[in-house]
Amino acid sequence: MPRALVIEDDEVTARDIVAELGAHGLHADWVANGRDGLARALEDGYDIITLDRMLPGMDGIDVVSELRKRAVETPVLMISALSDVDERVRGLRAGGDDYLTKPFSPDELAARAEVLLRRRRPAAGETRLRVEDLELDLVRHNALRNGQPLTLLPTEFRLLEFLMRNAGQVVTRQMIFEHVWGFHFDPGTNVIDVHIGRLRRKIDGAGQVPLIRTVRGSGYVLAPAD
């Protein structure tokens, strides 16, 4: 059973996180302050860590920075009430793998945790991504489907890269918004739907096996048909 470490000083939030992760097959341990959380993360082999941004004893930024300095590569989902872009960037630059703002839905937490658990970090020097007959060259900045070049706009390229890095996993609209556009999700905008539609028309052409699927009520997944 995968193991999670929940570093969170608010007991209600911590219990909600533990319960949600448990419902998705993870055994979760809870620590209520930064220093104890760092010690547990260094001692035990966890598969994922959820880390509150503001903690007593040791700040979440300092915790994740220290983990990375000590070569601990456990995926870290940072959680914070601070939602501005600068704070998110600071958390990711310190070594966090994702950043979720409070309040959040249990489904959003679960989706992000599953992506982090299953994500394959690119090997050093890796320059190409491939899913079925779809290829993305990260150096030359071009894309191919069944050997045929695709003309992608910069945002479409970033969107496709994010989907391919998480191939087979449902990514929510909020995750796409934050990772591709770099700012907090606005539920009133249809910009994601527009870009997904354009990308579909380019990579899922006539005669091609559709790769981008809509998961109703959840988000999108890039995967071949069953």
Side-chain angles (χ1 to χ4, degrees):
M1 176 181 289
R3 299 178 65 228
L5 177 62
V6 177
I7 309 176
E8 169 64 59
D9 64 324
D10 181 76
E11 183 175 354
V12 174
T13 301
R15 292 190 183 282
D16 288 344
I17 294 173
V18 168
E20 185 62 26
L21 295 178
H24 285 78
L26 283 81
H27 171 82
D29 297 324
W30 170 40
V31 178
N33 67 77
R35 292 193 183 281
D36 290 346
L38 175 61
R40 288 291 295 274
L42 291 171
E43 291 173 1
D44 295 310
Y46 288 99
D47 298 289
I48 188 171
I49 297 169
T50 70
L51 175 64
D52 190 30
R53 167 67 175 80
M54 295 180 288
L55 291 164
M58 189 176 188
D59 183 81
I61 294 288
D62 295 331
V63 171
V64 71
S65 296
E66 189 63 26
L67 287 174
R68 299 316 185 214
K69 286 178 184 177
R70 301 195 189 193
V72 176
E73 295 298 325
T74 307
V76 173
L77 172 58
M78 299 197 72
I79 299 176
S80 177
L82 303 174
S83 61
D84 59 278
V85 175
D86 289 343
E87 282 296 333
R88 180 178 182 275
V89 169
R90 187 181 176 203
L92 296 176
R93 283 180 176 172
D97 295 275
D98 200 357
Y99 192 99
L100 180 62
T101 55
K102 300 176 182 179
F104 53 84
S105 71
D107 288 344
E108 186 72 27
L109 171 75
R112 290 173 184 255
E114 288 181 3
V115 164
L116 290 181
L117 281 168
R118 297 175 184 269
R119 178 183 297 168
R120 181 178 64 86
R121 288 178 177 268
E126 183 179 22
T127 61
R128 299 180 76 89
L129 300 175
R130 184 181 180 95
V131 177
E132 297 293 311
D133 59 353
L134 179 63
E135 298 179 64
L136 208 61
D137 189 318
L138 304 178
V139 174
R140 297 179 180 177
H141 215 74
N142 59 31
L144 300 172
R145 179 82 199 265
N146 195 27
Q148 299 301 309
L150 305 173
T151 302
L152 302 180
L153 297 173
T155 301
E156 294 168 348
F157 189 93
R158 293 195 303 272
L159 175 57
L160 182 57
E161 179 184 352
F162 182 65
L163 291 172
M164 291 182 73
R165 288 191 184 280
N166 298 290
Q169 299 303 306
V170 176
V171 291
T172 67
R173 297 175 81 246
Q174 182 171 338
M175 291 166 70
I176 293 172
F177 215 101
E178 292 180 359
H179 284 269
V180 177
W181 277 266
F183 52 92
H184 193 62
F185 174 61
D186 175 4
T189 183
N190 69 342
V191 66
I192 293 176
D193 306 300
V194 170
H195 280 80
I196 287 286
R198 289 175 179 169
L199 193 58
R200 272 194 174 120
R201 288 192 290 273
K202 292 183 178 182
I203 74 167
D204 292 342
Q208 300 278 13
V209 175
L211 291 179
I212 299 178
R213 300 190 219 167
T214 299
V215 181
R216 190 173 299 277
S218 297
Y220 301 95
V221 61
L222 189 145
D226 295 331

